Amino acid sequence: MTPEPELDLLLAGTVFFDLVFTGFPHQPQPGTEVWTEGMGSSPGGIANLAVAAARLGLRTAVASGFGDDLYADWLWSTLRDQERIDLSYSQRHHGAHTPVTVALSYDDDRAFVTHGHPWPVSTGEMLADPPRTRAVLVDLGDETVRAERWWRQAAADGALVFATAGWDPEQQWDPRILDELAGCHAFFPNAVEAMGYTRTDSVEAALSALSEHVPLAIVTQGRSGVSAIDRTTGERESVPAIPVAAIDTTGAGDVFAAAVVLGTLKGWPLRKRLAFAALCSALTVTQVGGSLAAPGWGDVADWWREQQAAADGGGSSQEIVDRYAFLTECLRGVETPKVRRAEATIARFSDAG
């Protein structure tokens, strides 16, 4: 008898120390200094996805390099001890320092400054013998990832492969990416990426084209919502976004992906999966700090109670309450612990608002 997978989601990639600045009075200009209203720090990179998945209850493991500096100590402790992420496939490297990203979040957009060095051991080497897992998520836009064996071995062992392709800064949208989807279960680019890779001029045409390559094709459209086709069930659905006052959009796509993985593993109908993922990504942008802005079940429960109370008082859209009526059942018996948010540098509190 084949043993049950020990993990729900296996991830590999770089963990960054993210320092996020918010509340800019204006965009920074060369030769000037700008004081911002808020700042927060959190694990970044692949940690965005790992924390999002773990907070939704998925048994999550990460293979990544870590240095031996104070930043690395904090990242390791936060992911392993606070977020309960399995780091047994990760490695610490003596004398190596942590890659750092500074994110500037303003005017519904972001800018990044990053410094780091390659680790002496690749994630592919760390996962030479990957554990059994129900799902993996990979970025096929990364040539190194495409060449790695571990995720294909996981697929051969029964894991569902969820794929992204990342942003192409040259906007060439190499169509060979679509050939790499062979063996993948799902692919979810944004609208620009989807139309670029498929050489189509509409989201609906791109979605239809992508569905020929993977069983589950999802195209995100920001404030316009999300559309998807699931060939395994014959469903085709579109769900609107939830309007919120966004503070920091860092990691929103990772939260969306984690929620899709959760819903797929639970066998939810497509519309329910998309609605839940849209909610989770909306909740995360109302907080600052990437990974530590990811919602847990407690945040979902709080939002649901607020919507029900507002609808009873005539202050909320009944359509939203009807759309999310499934949450009552989802939340039944689920632990709803509070989660920690981004901290100011690596101190005790954050003033990022």
Side-chain angles (χ1 to χ4, degrees), residues 57 132 149 199 258 260:
R132 289 184 58 81
R149 172 184 172 275
R199 303 299 194 265
V260 168

Side-chain angles (χ1 to χ4, degrees), residues 205-240:
L207 186 60
S208 295
L210 291 175
S211 71
E212 297 177 4
H213 295 272
V214 287
L216 177 60
I218 300 175
V219 177
T220 60
Q221 303 165 69
R223 293 178 178 176
S224 297
V226 57
S227 298
I229 294 175
D230 189 337
R231 284 197 286 107
T232 65
T233 62
E235 298 167 283
R236 183 171 188 145
E237 298 282 0
S238 293
V239 170

Side-chain angles (χ1 to χ4, degrees), residues 152-176:
R152 297 187 188 277
Q153 181 59 51
D157 291 339
L160 297 180
V161 179
F162 294 79
T164 65
W167 179 256
D168 179 357
E170 304 299 326
Q171 298 192 43
Q172 296 299 307
W173 313 117
D174 187 347
R176 289 178 296 179

Side-chain angles (χ1 to χ4, degrees), residues 27-78:
Q27 294 187 16
Q29 299 296 325
T32 67
E33 181 180 21
V34 177
W35 284 72
T36 69
E37 295 177 357
M39 179 180 72
S41 58
S42 65
I46 196 63
N48 290 336
L49 183 57
V51 172
R55 288 185 172 184
L56 292 176
L58 293 174
R59 298 169 299 166
T60 303
V62 169
S64 181
F66 287 81
D68 65 353
D69 53 6
L70 290 177
Y71 283 167
D73 291 343
W74 182 81
L75 291 170
W76 188 276
S77 175
T78 298

